[in-house]
Every structure is written in C-alpha cells, then in structure tokens.
Amino acid sequence: MKNSFFLFFSLFFAYHLPAQEKVLPLYDGAAPGSENWNWNEAVNDQNSWQTRVVYNVVQPSLTVFQPEPGKANGTAVIICPGGAFYALSINSEGFDVASWLAQKGVTCFVLKYRLAHTAGNDPTAEVAAKMGKKEFEEETGKVLPLAIADGRAAVAYVRKHAAEYNVLSNRIGIMGFSAGGTLASAALFGYNKENKPDFAAPVYPYFPKEMYGTVAATAPPLFITAASDDQLGLAPHSVDLYQHWVAAKQSAELHLYAKGGHGFGMRKQNLPSDNWIDRFADWLDQQGLLKRPVFNPAFVLYERKEFVFAEGKTLPYRILYPENYDKTKKYPLLLFLHGAGERGTDNEKQLTHGAKLFLADENRKKFPAIVLFPQCPEESFWAASTIDRTVQPVQFKLDYSGEANWPLTAANELVKKIMSEEAVDPAAVYITGLSMGGMGSFESVFRYPGTYAAALPICGGGNVQEYDKRVSKTAFWVFHGAADVVVDVKMSRDMVDKLKKLKAEVKYSEYPGVNHNSWDNAFAEPDYLDWMLKHKRKK
C-alpha cells in the first residue's frame, strides 16, 4: 500500500502540469520501430541522482512551455534531458531549463524520447550496475537510433506546427544534456529541410568522433558547454565537436568550466558553471534569437526560404502552403512581385502589401494555393528599365531587348523549381505584382510565354513596342489609379490597348481619384481571386 501511494503521488505531480503547459504526442500512433513495447512510462523521485527522473518512455512526447502573452520572440528550442538513455533528468535538464528560457521569450518543447527498458523502479540503480558492461552497451545501442530519430522528429514537428505556437520556422533549435546532447549533436548531420535545426546547444554531450558526419555548408551555429572535471570523462567530446565545427569554418562557441562535474544542468553548486545558462542567453541574443522581429505574427505561415540563383546572387523568398497541404493533390501557384519600397534582404518587407489577402480564412478555403513572395535586393529592380525621376509622374523606359535583371530571372526560375518539387497544377500558375512588381509581371509574361494562365499587374507598365503574340495565351486584368503621380496611368492604358490589338483576353480597372496605392482597390475587388482561378493555361 505504501508503494502504491508513493507511485500515485509521483505520477500525479509528474503529469498534472500547470495549465499553460501542453503535452503533445510526437507521433500519430505507436512510435516507429518500437511498436511492440508493452511497458509503461513511470517516474522516480528517490534515487541516487537526487532528482526526479522519468523512465520507460514508450510514446515520445513534447511538453510545451510558452512565454507569457506578448513576450514570445519567435524563437523555439527543443530540450532533450539526459540520463544515460535509461532515464530523463526531467527537471534539472528539462522543465527548469524551459521555464528559465520562457522568461526570455523562447518557446520551449521538452522532449521525452525513447529509453532502454528498466525492469525495476529505479533506473539510476540500473545505470550504476550496468555502466561499463557489455549489457549496457547492447541495450543503449539498440535504443540510440530510436532516440536520435525522436530528436529529428521533434524538430520537424515544431517546424510543421510553428504557426500554432507563434514560432518562426527559421528559428527552431535543439539543445540536449549528456545523452540528450547526443540527440542535439546527431541532429547536426544528415538533416533535411524539415528536421534541420537552426541552431544547437549540446551541453556536456556524449558524442564520440565515430558518430560524426559531414559538416554542411549551411551547418547550424553551435553553443557548447561542459566541465573539465566531468566524472564521465566527456569534456573532450565537447572540445572535439567545437574543433570540428571551427575546422569547417562554421560558427561555434565553447564554454569549458574548470569545475562543475557531469550533470550540472540547472543545479546550484555555487560554482561559475551555475551561470552557464546566462552565457547561453548571451549567445542567443548575439545570434539575434532573443530579439522580437518586427512582423505580423500571422506572417509566420509564410515560411522563410532562400533561392540560390548563382554565386553571389541569392533571392530571399517567403512561401505560403495551403491548409492541410496534400502532395497527392494539385494546387494553383501564384508569384507575387512587390514594389520598390519593399526591396531588401530582410525577407520580411515584401509581405507589406498583399500577404494578408491570402491569409484571410475565407480565401484560404476558397483559394488553396501555393503563394510565393520573393524579395528583390535593394540595388536592383524586377523590370529592366531606365528611370527619370526629375518629372512627375516618373518616366520609365522599359527594355526587353537584352537580358532580364537577375532578380526577375531568379523569381521565374524559382517558379519552375516549385513547379517541379511541389504539388502544383501546371495549368494554374499565376502572376501579380504592384508598381515595380506590376512592371515585372508584364515582363515575366513576355519572357516566359505560356507559363502563366493569368497576370494581374497593378499600377505598372510594359514595353508596348516589344509585346507580341507570344503573350496572347495569358489572360490579363490590369489595375491603375487615374491620379497616380508615381507611375503614369498612361503606361497601363497603353499596355491594355496593345493587348487588345494582340487579341489577348484583357480586363482593365481604373480608379478615378486614386493615387499610386491602387493595390488597395485591386485587392478589394470581390472577384479578384475568382477571376484568377477560373483561368487555366491554354495549350
């Protein structure tokens, strides 16, 4: 009876977490590779490690620690407690770390990963009895690939559900302690775009050189910390990993304390190692990961990516996938080209105009599409042109005779790439853009004939002389403000007249008294999306 009461008491406090903490199953159904495990997860509070430990994990899970409302900075970290692959030091190397980081605005996910089976009720005693023996190596060797798989799956899970937790999909890191440090270190090699960590922090990790892989050119930055007097002799693992990263010319920071032992975690020992997490916060801040980005939280649904077009020419872009994206289906694809004021490299400003339109609930349902928002660099333009700003409206002379500006070519090559890699309906590819992007829309249809089923240029213009029948397979809806003092309304009028002569399908909306911001009127058109979607590419 006494043991039953103790077990109930332990389980009650282990699983009845504060209301703001959610426990999420990592997998749908049984975890792959351990479907036949039939033991139950348990908790032990009285052991030689003098801390609460979780053991016999069968169903991996993530416990979420979210910052207070309004304090989230968009950064997330998956925390992997240690315990020799037999247990998880769930407080000192898990929940306590998460609580501390949440105060800094970091959204934390404490991972319970699969462990070797403990026959009794004290995994720490089993570790002490088996450590250094063949039995220990065999049992941990079997569970090691499963635990590593759980670490990778955790990164992919958080990235997939980033929008639900106000997390930026390019600010997802992983940290781990001891055996958990093995997971954090293994995640640095052989990753894909779904499970790649954006940063990693192995803390006194077990990670021998035979587990190393190739350091990619896009390798995540590292924060590593340990103590020289580590009782398990693991300090060299941290030094070796640091040197391996530096040799590959990748970013790394190492803190090696003279004293602290193994497993210091969030324990208070009145040693300098007690402050390791402050140094981690300093590092996060230096990486820009504690700064709150100036962005609409809804825009987190637009995933941040980059398209390497050529050496020294990288096009930042954001991509919005449909709700419940299913690669067995086919979806429309829309390329959106922003105006001159949104140029840069922050991969953010290009969402200023138009991005909200595709996030509206009714449009997400009515227009389940893949939407691309590339960003043109500050020193360039979408359209090839010479500009005279000494007059109003500004005079643009568009030239299609030579090569296109590289950002426009890159944007269209990106469209081709997405068409080949994602579930795109090739007959339902569209282009729109405003101002400079409106000019880029006209030029894209000219240079990539037959690609776009419909084009919707807003307050832009094109080269009337060079436009020819190659564009006639694309339907156009052109928009412009009659009082535009930036881009002369005559540019759209002339293009509409030319399109009519070419017998292309064209619709024109001109707004009396409206200045350059005619995109507000265009996006407010009740059939803006319906008109676009009804057009399919002509064969």
Side-chain angles (χ1 to χ4, degrees), residues 108-163:
C108 297
F109 299 81
V110 179
L111 173 64
K112 292 181 183 177
Y113 53 91
R114 283 171 285 182
L115 302 169
H117 182 221
T118 297
N121 59 10
D122 185 357
T124 69
E126 288 204 24
V127 169
K130 295 178 179 179
M131 183 76 77
K133 298 181 180 178
K134 185 177 180 181
E135 183 182 5
F136 180 85
E137 293 183 6
E138 289 177 348
E139 292 182 357
T140 56
K142 290 177 182 178
V143 78
L144 179 61
L146 301 179
I148 290 174
D150 293 343
R152 296 186 193 278
V155 176
Y157 182 97
V158 173
R159 180 160 286 119
K160 182 178 179 181
H161 297 273

Side-chain angles (χ1 to χ4, degrees), residues 428-486:
V429 181
Y430 310 104
I431 186 169
T432 188
L434 54 95
S435 191
M436 177 184 83
M439 299 175 196
S441 298
F442 276 121
E443 186 172 340
S444 293
V445 175
F446 176 83
R447 293 188 183 273
Y448 295 83
T451 299
Y452 299 102
L456 297 89
I458 305 168
C459 57
N463 188 311
V464 176
Q465 288 71 37
E466 295 189 54
Y467 240 50
D468 56 29
K469 288 185 178 180
R470 78 182 74 181
V471 306
S472 60
K473 291 183 179 181
T474 299
F476 289 82
W477 187 357
V478 182
F479 309 85
H480 218 120
D484 196 326
V485 297
V486 178

Side-chain angles (χ1 to χ4, degrees), residues 470-529:
R470 78 182 74 181
V471 306
S472 60
K473 291 183 179 181
T474 299
F476 289 82
W477 187 357
V478 182
F479 309 85
H480 218 120
D484 196 326
V485 297
V486 178
V487 178
D488 196 338
V489 66
K490 186 176 183 298
M491 293 187 70
S492 284
R493 291 173 183 170
D494 289 347
M495 288 301 292
V496 169
D497 289 342
K498 181 64 180 240
L499 288 166
K500 288 179 179 178
K501 289 177 182 178
L502 294 171
K503 300 189 184 310
E505 180 184 342
V506 60
K507 179 178 179 179
Y508 181 48
S509 295
E510 186 174 302
Y511 305 106
V514 173
N515 198 336
H516 191 50
N517 62 328
S518 53
W519 51 82
D520 292 334
N521 300 74
F523 298 147
E525 292 281 358
D527 58 343
Y528 180 87
L529 295 178

Side-chain angles (χ1 to χ4, degrees), residues 74 159 162 167-172 196 198 300 302-304:
R159 180 160 286 119
V167 166
L168 294 172
S169 61
N170 67 333
R171 289 172 65 162
I172 299 169
K196 176 191 175 183
D198 297 301
V300 74
Y302 285 93
E303 295 184 21
R304 289 175 178 263

Side-chain angles (χ1 to χ4, degrees), residues 251-309:
S251 174
E253 181 167 315
L254 173 65
H255 292 264
L256 200 60
Y257 295 96
K259 293 184 178 180
H262 186 80
F264 49 79
M266 296 295 285
R267 299 173 188 267
K268 294 302 177 186
Q269 304 181 90
N270 296 319
L271 294 171
S273 58
D274 293 355
N275 301 315
W276 72 269
I277 198 163
D278 294 286
R279 305 291 74 78
F280 179 51
D282 292 341
W283 181 81
L284 288 173
D285 192 37
Q286 193 174 52
Q287 298 289 323
L289 295 169
L290 294 186
K291 296 178 177 64
R292 294 182 64 188
V294 180
F295 78 113
N296 184 327
F299 289 166
V300 74
L301 290 173
Y302 285 93
E303 295 184 21
R304 289 175 178 263
K305 297 193 177 184
E306 291 184 339
F307 177 54
V308 179
F309 174 65

Side-chain angles (χ1 to χ4, degrees), residues 14-15 17-18 20-26 41 54 60-66 77-79 90 94-95 98-99 107-112 157-158 165:
Y15 297 106
L17 299 167
Q20 68 269 24
E21 297 167 12
K22 298 179 183 177
V23 179
L24 310 169
L26 185 59
E41 181 179 315
V54 174
S61 65
L62 293 167
T63 303
V64 188
F65 287 72
Q66 292 181 274
V77 63
I78 292 118
I79 302 170
I90 202 68
F95 295 163
S99 296
T107 304
C108 297
F109 299 81
V110 179
L111 173 64
K112 292 181 183 177
Y157 182 97
V158 173
Y165 297 96

